[in-house]
Structures are given as structure tokens and as C-alpha cells.
């Protein structure tokens, strides 16, 4: 069963902030975040392994609430280069499942 | 490192033809994944291998699809016979699950069009 992401899509102006949420009805033991630009392959952003963990990559950061079985990705002062589809993913035993993705469009 | 290599990058074929997609994972990685991506279904895991052994092929749509990994540096995904609904971008990804991180590195994908 794949994680759920919200919103499905978001449109921003350059410099605005955005939050993308990822949740699961099953226990989350780790959360991965990937970004896929149009016409390209998904690229790894970060992994959160423990509840309460927060990480950052430039102006993109993420948090992981293990109890609530959810993770959030924060994009601060968005840049045009942030446009793309963001996927969360998680392990399911030996398997790995991605969420449906959130399409982010940053306009000048 | 060259990253994950996939070939061909684009494939156009007619319904009923056999299609073979190829993947070379990153050297030293012990997991290899095949994904299919469409607008309707998103990113779907088809099958994955651990140390060249297929672990879970429950995502393979039907018997027309088959995948092999004869050695640690090569894998194929075959569709025979192909159908228009197989049109999609097929990604191969590899990872190393030593330790706690299992970051997947994706190849550039093969865009398959079945007419």
C-alpha cells in the first residue's frame, strides 16, 4: 500500500514557501524524498530514518513524525529550479513503495 | 562512476513485437529495481533483484513481462508480445543496502512507445 501525498499539485511564485506532506496508514520506519524534473529520472533528496529526525538540503528540509506516520518536506524561498514532481517513498519489508507524487511549479 | 546506464533511451515498436530493455547498475550495488512510469499509474515497481536473484515480481503486470539478471552488472526487462498499453517510461534503479541507507539511483529511463 503506497503512501499518500498532499497536495497533488501546487503552484508558487519564486521566493514563496511550500510544504508537501506524506502519510501512511501503515507504520513508517523510514522516509525517502525524491525529486523528478520533467523528462528526467527521479533524484534522491534525503532520507529520514528516525522519528523526530529533521534534515536539510540547501533550502529544502524535511521532518519525520514516526508516531503520526507522516513526513513533511519544506521548500523555503523557492527557486525556479525547484519545479518538478516530489515523491516520498518508504520500505515495506524488503519492498519499496513510492507515493503518487506532488507536482510543484515555480513561476517567475 | 557512470551511474546507472539504460538502453535504448527511446524505443518505438509495433504491437506484437518483442521489446528488450537493458540496464547496467552502479558497480558494487546489490539491489536492482525495474519501475514503470505512466501519467495514470505513476511510478510502479515491477520487480527487484538482490544479488542477481529476483526477490519480488508481484508488480509485473502479466506473463508477457519477464526480467533477468544474469550477473551483477547487467539486467534485462523483456515484453513479448508488446501491446499499446505497455507504452511508458521504464526506469532501472540500483542501490546498496549496506548500513541504514538504501538510496536508489535511477537510470535515465527508456521511453517505450508501442503502436
Amino acid at each position: 500500500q503506497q503512501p499518500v501525498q498532499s497536495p497533488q499539485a501546487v503552484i508558487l511564485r519564486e521566493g514563496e514557501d511550500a510544504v508537501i506532506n506524506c502519510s501512511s496508514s501503515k507504520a513508517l520506519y523510514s522516509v525517502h524524498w525524491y525529486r523528478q524534473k520533467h523528462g528526467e529520472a527521479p533524484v534522491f533528496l534525503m532520507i529520514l530514518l528516525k522519528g523526530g529526525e529533521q534534515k536539510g538540503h540547501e533550502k529544502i528540509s524535511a521532518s519525520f513524525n514516526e508516531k503520526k506516520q507522516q513526513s513533511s518536506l519544506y521548500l523555503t524561498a523557492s527557486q525556479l529550479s525547484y519545479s518538478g514532481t516530489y515523491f516520498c517513498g518508504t520500505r515495506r519489508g524488503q519492498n519499496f513503495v513510492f507515493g503518487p507524487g506532488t507536482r510543484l511549479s515555480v513561476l517567475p | 562512476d557512470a551511474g546507472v546506464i539504460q538502453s535504448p533511451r527511446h524505443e518505438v515498436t509495433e504491437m506484437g513485437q518483442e521489446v528488450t530493455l537493458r540496464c547496467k547498475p552502479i558497480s558494487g550495488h546489490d539491489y536492482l529495481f525495474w519501475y514503470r512510469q505512466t501519467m495514470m499509474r505513476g511510478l510502479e515497481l515491477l520487480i527487484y533483484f538482490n544479488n542477481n536473484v529476483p526477490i519480488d515480481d508481484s508488480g509485473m503486470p502479466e506473463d508477457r513481462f519477464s526480467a533477468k539478471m544474469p550477473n551483477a552488472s547487467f539486467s534485462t526487462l523483456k515484453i513479448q508480445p508488446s501491446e499499446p498499453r505497455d507504452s511508458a517510461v521504464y526506469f532501472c534503479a540500483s542501490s546498496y543496502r549496506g548500513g541504514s541507507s538504501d538510496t536508489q539511483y535511477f537510470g535515465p529511463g527508456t521511453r517505450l512507445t508501442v503502436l
Side-chain angles (χ1 to χ4, degrees):
Chain A
Q1 189 176 10
Q2 67 176 179
V4 175
Q5 288 186 237
S6 64
Q8 287 186 333
V10 59
I11 299 175
L12 298 172
R13 291 285 180 188
E14 211 172 356
E16 292 181 339
D17 302 340
V19 180
I20 299 171
N21 299 302
C22 174
S23 62
S24 174
S25 58
K26 293 189 174 185
L28 283 174
Y29 300 108
S30 66
V31 178
H32 301 226
W33 285 98
Y34 287 77
R35 176 172 64 200
Q36 183 179 27
K37 298 195 175 184
H38 183 67
E40 299 181 7
V43 174
F44 173 78
L45 290 176
M46 63 189 81
I47 179 174
L48 299 103
L49 297 170
K50 296 181 290 187
E53 185 172 15
Q54 296 188 9
K55 278 197 175 176
H57 174 73
E58 296 176 347
K59 291 185 179 178
I60 300 175
S61 60
S63 63
F64 178 24
N65 188 323
E66 198 172 7
K67 281 187 177 178
K68 291 186 178 179
Q69 297 173 185
Q70 65 184 38
S71 175
S72 295
L73 188 71
Y74 306 94
L75 298 100
T76 305
S78 58
Q79 305 170 18
L80 296 176
S81 61
Y82 288 359
S83 293
T85 301
Y86 289 78
F87 295 94
C88 67
T90 188
R91 280 251 208 123
R92 289 275 185 253
Q94 284 266 45
N95 212 331
F96 191 89
V97 290
F98 281 100
T102 294
R103 179 169 290 183
L104 179 76
S105 300
V106 181
L107 305 178
Chain B
D1 200 320
V4 176
I5 299 172
Q6 289 187 249
S7 65
R9 293 293 307 276
H10 302 272
E11 176 82 27
V12 180
T13 190
E14 292 189 346
M15 184 172 65
Q17 296 297 306
E18 177 180 294
V19 175
T20 299
L21 310 182
R22 296 172 177 79
C23 175
K24 176 178 168 55
I26 292 173
S27 176
H29 282 191
D30 55 353
Y31 279 80
L32 184 139
F33 306 82
W34 280 102
Y35 290 93
R36 178 173 68 176
Q37 187 174 40
T38 61
M39 287 293 291
M40 290 295 293
R41 302 171 76 94
L43 201 56
E44 302 174 275
L45 177 64
L46 300 177
I47 184 172
Y48 72 95
F49 296 82
N50 175 219
N51 292 322
N52 314 337
V53 177
I55 302 300
D56 187 342
D57 66 354
S58 59
M60 296 285 259
E62 46 197 275
D63 292 345
R64 298 184 297 106
F65 286 69
S66 62
K68 293 181 178 179
M69 192 166 185
N71 57 63
S73 59
F74 184 65
S75 177
T76 60
L77 178 67
K78 187 175 291 187
I79 308 172
Q80 165 64 18
S82 58
E83 296 182 3
R85 60 192 167 121
D86 301 332
S87 297
V89 180
Y90 291 81
F91 289 105
C92 172
S94 69
S95 72
Y96 172 67
R97 283 199 184 170
S100 56
S101 175
D102 53 357
T103 300
Q104 294 186 39
Y105 295 86
F106 284 76
T110 295
R111 182 174 294 275
L112 173 65
T113 303
V114 184
L115 304 173

